């Protein structure tokens, strides 16, 4: 079928579909109360599961002492990358200092810090937790908190106590996963 070239496309379309009957506009029902804000229910469930897992880890694992090295590596991370992290050969792109924070404050600060680091696509960050020498006779609380929390996060590929020039056993270098 051929059409004359002087007819425009919209006229051809209208002639092909025929007469159009317009539908009346649909009005939204008035309920009187505003719709609730959406909630991230799955994220809340994941957070609750992680907190339960965190509490289990704190009870089951032997706590780190002041001079102990904190170290963790996912199986899929090449050993060479982990060695570079242990030597402090990655450029630290951001730092969080937890000195003086309570464990609940430190937990919230660490979660927020890691979210921001991930959003900025940082590859390596340093977390200063202190050696815990001021702890009341017990194990260093912040050091153990950081160790346990980092092990539970999917975006953490590895961490290791920093070299002596970067904080030693009072800080950890963390290698983060890309998006």
């Amino acid at each position: 079928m051929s059409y004359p070239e002087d007819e425009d496309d919209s006229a051809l379309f209208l002639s092909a579909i025929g007469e159009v009957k317009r539908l009346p506009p649909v009005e939204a029902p008035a309920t009187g109360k505003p719709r609730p804000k959406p909630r991230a229910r799955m994220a809340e469930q994941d957070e609750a599961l992680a907190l339960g897992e965190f509490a289990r880890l704190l009870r089951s694992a032997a706590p780190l002492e002041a001079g102990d090295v904190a170290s963790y590596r996912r199986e899929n991370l090449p050993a060479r990358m982990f060695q570079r992290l242990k030597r402090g050969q990655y450029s630290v792109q951001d730092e969080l200092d937890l000195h003086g924070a309570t464990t609940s404050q430190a937990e919230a600060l660490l979660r927020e810090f890691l979210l921001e680091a991930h959003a900025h696509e940082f590859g390596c960050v340093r977390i200063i937790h202190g050696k815990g020498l001021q702890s009341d006779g017990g194990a260093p609380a912040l050091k153990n908190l950081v160790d346990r929390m980092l092990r539970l996060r999917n975006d953490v590929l590895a961490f290791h106590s920093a070299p002596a020039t970067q904080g030693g056993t009072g800080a950890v270098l963390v290698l983060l996963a890309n998006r």
Side-chain angles (χ1 to χ4, degrees), residues 61-93:
L64 295 171
E65 297 298 324
D68 291 348
V69 172
S71 185
Y72 169 79
R73 173 176 78 100
R74 289 200 184 275
E75 291 177 10
N76 61 345
L77 183 76
R80 195 171 85 215
M81 289 180 75
F82 189 59
Q83 289 300 322
R84 288 187 61 206
L85 180 70
K86 287 168 68 171
R87 291 185 197 117
Q89 294 176 335
Y90 285 102
S91 174
V92 173
Q93 295 169 297

Side-chain angles (χ1 to χ4, degrees), residues 1 18 32-34 52 64 76 84 87 93 116 120 130 142 170 172:
M1 180 185 279
K33 60 181 182 178
L64 295 171
N76 61 345
R84 288 187 61 206
R87 291 185 197 117
Q93 295 169 297
E116 288 182 23
H120 287 88
L142 295 182
V172 291

Side-chain angles (χ1 to χ4, degrees), residues 16-17 36 49 57 74 76 81 92 102 104 135 152-153 165:
I17 64 167
L49 286 172
L57 259 177
R74 289 200 184 275
N76 61 345
M81 289 180 75
V92 173
T102 65
S104 59
S135 295
L152 293 175
R153 296 198 51 109
T165 58

